[in-house]
């Protein structure tokens, strides 16, 4: 059985952690944050967006109506909402009002706080809103893992820690203090983990598969040893399922067959290695379980449309033209 060398596994004694694997590829980092207090009725419309949005409701009630959804989300004190669908939406205390342009409303905002009306009134509200940015080339992975919207109620297991993290995030975002960007990047990643690990947070999709008592172990096996030449029979035996039951349940939750998922995950790891490392192609092929460099190159070209060497060169050119800020 092919196994990666010791330097490929930071802690080989630790169990596989597919969620950490995925978030490492997404490269989640901080964006802007806003602490808002308001009183009286209002409604704001916001356009499509290319990042993850979050809302932590601290006080009062807020409605979020996402375009295309039949019913709005009602956020009460202590609730959190994570949004990745990118669809336009309305945030309001009264959805019967004609919504104003939210982007224009906040365009001239200075600093990370906004107040209007009388927030101390009986209908006053307070919330933290903001965004998490991620590697845009991994959007399809984000869509596979994160539900379009994820509502975390105040009584959920993850809610208290998530609110505390987002409150600190809101205080740090845009602060002039030394190291603030490093702190907010770390808080963004931790907050996202807290939201995504909430038990029962997703009823279908990758998160539901990870929480499933049978498919979750199968995912951990695949992530723990992607270089291994797994068979459906072997996965079924390891998870105490029949071959047909495993295949059906895996496809139902994840959206693809187990070995198709393994191949897709291998290709994600390959693209990351080609982009970030100077490792020879033969070493990458061996690391990912391919018998030869030619077998790896053929699989990569089928998946990505270009040979590994050409992909690496293209990424280097793009990086040279767009150096980190």
């Amino acid at each position: 059985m092919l196994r990666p060398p010791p330097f490929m596994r930071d802690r080989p004694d630790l169990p596989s952690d597919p969620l950490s694997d995925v978030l490492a590829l997404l490269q989640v980092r901080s964006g802007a944050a806003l602490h808002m207090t308001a009183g009286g009725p209002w409604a704001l419309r916001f356009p499509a967006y290319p990042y993850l949005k979050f809302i932590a409701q601290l006080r009062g009630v807020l409605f979020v109506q996402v375009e295309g959804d039949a019913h709005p989300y009602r956020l009460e004190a202590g609730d959190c909402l994570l949004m990745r669908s990118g669809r336009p939406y309305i945030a309001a205390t009264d959805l019967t009002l004609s919504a104003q342009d939210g982007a224009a409303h906040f365009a001239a905002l200075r600093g990370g706080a906004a107040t209007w009306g009388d927030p101390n009134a009986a209908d006053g509200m307070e919330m933290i809103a903001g965004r998490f940015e991620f590697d845009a080339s991994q959007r399809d992975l984000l869509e596979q893992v994160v539900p379009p919207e994820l509502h975390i109620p105040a009584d959920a297991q993850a809610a208290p820690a998530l609110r505390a993290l987002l409150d600190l995030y809101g205080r740090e975002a845009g602060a002039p203090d030394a190291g603030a960007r490093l702190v907010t990047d770390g808080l963004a990643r931790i907050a996202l983990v807290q939201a995504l690990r909430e038990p029962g947070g997703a009823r279908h999709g990758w998160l539901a598969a990870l929480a499933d008592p049978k498919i979750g172990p199968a995912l951990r096996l695949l992530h723990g040893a992607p270089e291994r030449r797994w068979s459906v029979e072997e996965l079924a035996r390891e998870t105490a399922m029949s071959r047909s039951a495993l295949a059906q349940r895996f496809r139902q939750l994840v959206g693809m067959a187990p070995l198709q998922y393994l191949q897709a995950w291998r290709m994600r790891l390959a693209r990351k290695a080609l982009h970030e490392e100077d490792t020879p192609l033969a070493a990458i092929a061996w690391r990912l379980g391919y018998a030869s460099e030619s077998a790896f190159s053929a699989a990569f070209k089928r998946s990505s449309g270009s040979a590994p060497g050409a992909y690496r060169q293209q990424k280097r050119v793009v990086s040279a033209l767009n150096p980190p800020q």
Side-chain angles (χ1 to χ4, degrees):
M1 180 189 305
L2 292 172
R3 304 293 293 178
F7 65 84
M8 283 306 302
R9 293 178 179 270
D10 295 333
R11 287 289 304 278
D13 56 309
L14 292 179
S16 171
D17 185 355
L19 183 56
S20 292
D21 294 342
V22 165
L23 292 179
L25 284 184
L26 289 175
Q27 298 181 44
V28 176
R29 56 196 182 276
S30 66
L34 173 71
H35 180 259
M36 187 173 79
T37 55
W42 55 272
L44 297 174
R45 177 181 296 277
F46 294 91
Y49 52 94
Y51 34 74
L52 282 163
K53 278 182 172 279
F54 68 83
I55 298 173
Q57 191 71 10
L58 304 180
R59 179 168 53 91
V61 176
L62 179 72
F63 295 95
V64 178
Q65 178 68 66
V66 179
E67 185 175 285
D69 285 357
H71 303 289
Y73 292 95
R74 177 188 170 97
L75 304 184
E76 300 183 354
D79 288 3
C80 297
L81 181 65
L82 180 69
M83 306 165 67
R84 74 100 182 119
S85 69
R87 291 178 292 174
Y89 67 96
I90 293 174
T93 56
D94 185 350
L95 287 171
T96 65
L97 297 176
S98 177
Q100 302 176 33
D101 187 334
H105 186 86
F106 289 111
L109 183 67
R110 295 293 181 266
T115 301
W116 70 81
D118 180 8
N120 295 317
D123 60 355
M125 57 82 64
E126 181 180 8
M127 71 174 185
I128 299 167
R131 68 175 186 252
F132 300 150
E133 297 172 348
F134 60 93
D135 181 357
S137 69
Q138 298 287 354
R139 171 163 285 280
D140 65 320
L141 177 60
L142 181 78
E143 292 174 351
Q144 181 183 359
V145 172
V146 182
E149 283 80 35
L150 184 60
H151 181 200
I152 302 171
D155 59 357
Q157 179 179 312
L162 186 57
R163 287 194 304 275
L165 285 164
L166 293 177
D167 181 57
L168 182 56
Y169 179 90
R171 296 173 189 274
E172 288 283 343
D177 300 338
R181 185 56 188 258
L182 181 63
V183 171
T184 53
D185 281 351
L187 289 171
R189 285 188 286 270
I190 296 170
L192 184 56
V193 169
Q194 286 289 336
L196 297 182
R197 64 164 44 156
E198 170 60 30
R203 294 181 174 84
H204 54 80
W206 191 89
L207 285 178
L210 187 59
D212 188 89
K214 294 293 187 179
I215 304 305
L219 280 173
R220 284 187 280 275
L221 288 170
L222 295 175
H223 278 255
E227 77 290 346
R228 184 168 172 173
R229 295 175 185 174
W230 291 101
S231 66
V232 177
E233 290 82 0
E234 189 174 12
L235 285 171
R237 184 169 61 252
E238 292 285 347
T239 56
M241 299 180 74
S242 70
R243 183 183 183 280
S244 59
L246 171 68
Q248 180 180 4
R249 182 67 174 162
F250 197 102
R251 183 181 289 276
Q252 178 185 14
L253 290 175
V254 181
M256 63 183 75
L259 299 189
Q260 184 183 3
Y261 178 88
L262 174 61
Q263 174 67 6
W265 182 247
R266 283 177 170 178
M267 291 299 100
R268 290 189 188 280
L269 295 178
R271 289 193 290 272
K272 178 178 174 63
L274 291 168
H275 187 201
E276 299 179 356
E277 306 172 15
D278 291 323
T279 307
L281 296 184
I284 296 175
W286 176 79
R287 179 197 304 176
L288 295 176
Y290 290 92
S292 66
E293 180 180 332
S294 61
F296 165 66
S297 296
F300 188 89
K301 189 169 184 178
R302 284 195 301 271
S303 171
S304 303
S306 61
Y311 179 88
R312 172 177 273 169
Q313 183 60 33
Q314 180 187 29
K315 286 296 183 180
R316 285 176 175 171
V317 170
V318 171
S319 296
L321 294 175
N322 302 278
Q325 299 298 315

